[in-house]
Amino acid sequence: MQRSPWIGVPKNAKSLAMTFYDKDAPTGSGFWHWTVYNISVNTSSINPDFLPQGAEDANTDIGKPGYFGPCPPVGRTHNYVFTLHALDVEKLTPPTGATSALVRFFINQHTIAKTTLSVVAGPRK
């Protein structure tokens, strides 16, 4: 197996997953903007519009798969967290149409390492 171009991916990682979460969404539990899994460990970057071969989008908190970009309310900032998970399985197999929460459960059950990037977006005018 080739080493991952992302620095620090464990040698025993078999796939990757990425999540994008809004900690400040006014839901009481935040908002999941993106969950993508079954990313090859040989992937060096990811673009929501052009997923690597084999990667799959999970449903977001709006109930649809794909990427839902940041959208803080007018006049406010929100804190967002990207998390890259190294997984101990080559492929996750959640049920078709699984909720974002269920897919993240599968991800968390197989995470052997992870790293995060926190960003602040807003305020919109």
Side-chain angles (χ1 to χ4, degrees):
M1 178 184 297
Q2 275 187 315
R3 289 301 312 127
S4 178
W6 273 324
I7 297 169
V9 173
K11 291 181 181 184
N12 58 335
K14 296 182 179 173
S15 68
L16 304 169
M18 173 79 70
T19 60
F20 176 43
Y21 175 67
D22 178 352
K23 294 169 38 173
D24 297 319
T27 64
S29 61
F31 189 90
W32 293 92
H33 284 259
W34 192 35
T35 301
V36 60
Y37 58 98
N38 295 340
I39 304 167
S40 166
V41 294
N42 297 315
T43 300
S44 60
S45 64
I46 193 156
N47 179 330
D49 295 325
F50 306 100
L51 292 182
Q53 184 175 0
E56 297 183 48
D57 280 319
N59 284 324
T60 65
D61 277 355
I62 60 172
K64 296 181 192 177
Y67 175 84
F68 184 72
C71 190
V74 172
R76 291 185 47 205
T77 60
H78 274 211
N79 292 281
Y80 296 91
V81 180
F82 287 92
T83 303
L84 180 66
H85 299 258
L87 307 179
D88 64 2
V89 294
E90 287 184 22
K91 187 171 183 170
L92 292 176
T93 56
T96 301
T99 63
S100 178
L102 182 57
V103 173
R104 289 190 324 277
F105 173 81
F106 277 77
I107 291 169
N108 288 326
Q109 291 301 304
H110 292 284
T111 295
I112 56 176
K114 63 183 175 181
T115 189
T116 61
L117 171 67
S118 297
V119 297
V120 176
R124 289 188 305 141
K125 297 182 191 243

